[in-house]
């Protein structure tokens, strides 16, 4: 089953995102809409800290929280701030393919040796650090994670639109993620 939905035209934007900040995100990034001027953010974007991704959006259009895998657990206060004080009405949760947070267990030794070599940490401290945080940030796969995180955020903020999206690093485009299987 293909769970990604390409957006290459205005009509390709799902009806629930039309005329919303999520729709505008697709228009700016995928469809090269001219960048408008904003004095206040309309959107909160949660996305991975990965350096291969860059969004084409206007200045002041969105708050952006970057964290490994786009994981917003432990960032709820920042999310709440963007909603309550910043006035955003939508959240774009953007995962991406080839994410480094997938399969963290396989990167354990590289992580530990990198901390020891580059920071001067003792091996035991680096290993403890990995063991404490890897389970929090490990994701099994990008699509399932972005769907589960969107569901979690919808429960926390029931009146806020939350869109699970995926950024493909090979074409630098955003995709909608199909939430229900087609049978």
């Amino acid at each position: 089953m293909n769970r990604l939905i390409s957006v290459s035209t205005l009509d390709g934007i799902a009806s629930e995102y039309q005329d919303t900040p999520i729709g505008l995100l697709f228009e700016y990034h995928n469809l090269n809409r001219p960048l408008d001027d904003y004095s206040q953010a309309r959107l909160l974007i949660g996305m991975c800290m990965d350096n291969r991704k860059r969004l084409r959006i206007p200045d002041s259009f969105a708050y952006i929280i970057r964290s490994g895998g786009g994981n917003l657990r432990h960032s709820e206060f920042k999310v709440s701030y963007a909603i309550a004080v910043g006035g955003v009405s939508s959240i774009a949760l953007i995962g991406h393919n080839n994410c480094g947070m997938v399969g963290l267990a396989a990167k354990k030794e590289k992580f530990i040796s990198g901390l020891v070599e580059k920071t001067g940490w003792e091996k035991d401290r680096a290993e403890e650090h990995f063991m404490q945080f890897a389970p929090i940030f490990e994701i099994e796969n990008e699509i399932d994670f972005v769907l589960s995180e969107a569901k979690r955020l919808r429960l926390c903020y029931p009146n806020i639109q939350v869109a699970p999206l995926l950024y493909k690093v090979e074409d630098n485009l955003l995709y909608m993620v199909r939430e229900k299987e087609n049978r």
Side-chain angles (χ1 to χ4, degrees), residues 39-145:
S39 59
Q40 182 177 351
R42 305 266 320 272
L43 177 67
L44 170 64
I45 297 171
M47 63 188 294
C48 190
M49 62 187 219
D50 190 291
N51 65 325
R52 296 172 291 173
K53 302 181 325 301
R54 181 170 185 246
L55 297 175
R56 183 185 174 279
I57 57 174
D59 290 341
S60 302
F61 173 68
Y63 289 99
I64 301 174
I65 300 174
R66 284 185 171 245
S67 66
N71 186 339
L72 294 183
R73 282 178 265 162
H74 305 290
S75 294
E76 287 84 356
F77 186 83
K78 296 174 217 172
V79 173
S80 296
Y81 180 91
I83 294 167
V85 177
V88 303
S89 59
S90 300
I91 299 172
L93 190 61
I94 305 173
H96 70 94
N97 61 331
N98 303 315
C99 183
M101 294 296 115
V102 173
L104 273 178
K107 300 172 183 108
K108 178 181 176 183
E109 291 309 316
K110 183 176 183 177
F111 183 97
I112 292 168
S113 64
L115 279 178
V116 169
E117 291 168 19
K118 295 175 182 172
T119 68
W121 285 16
E122 295 295 324
K123 184 177 180 187
D124 289 347
R125 180 179 178 200
E127 184 169 14
E128 183 181 313
H129 186 65
F130 182 88
M131 297 306 291
Q132 179 181 359
F133 291 103
I136 296 169
F137 294 103
E138 168 102 34
I139 61 177
E140 189 168 319
N141 76 60
E142 300 90 344
I143 292 174
D144 287 341
F145 176 76

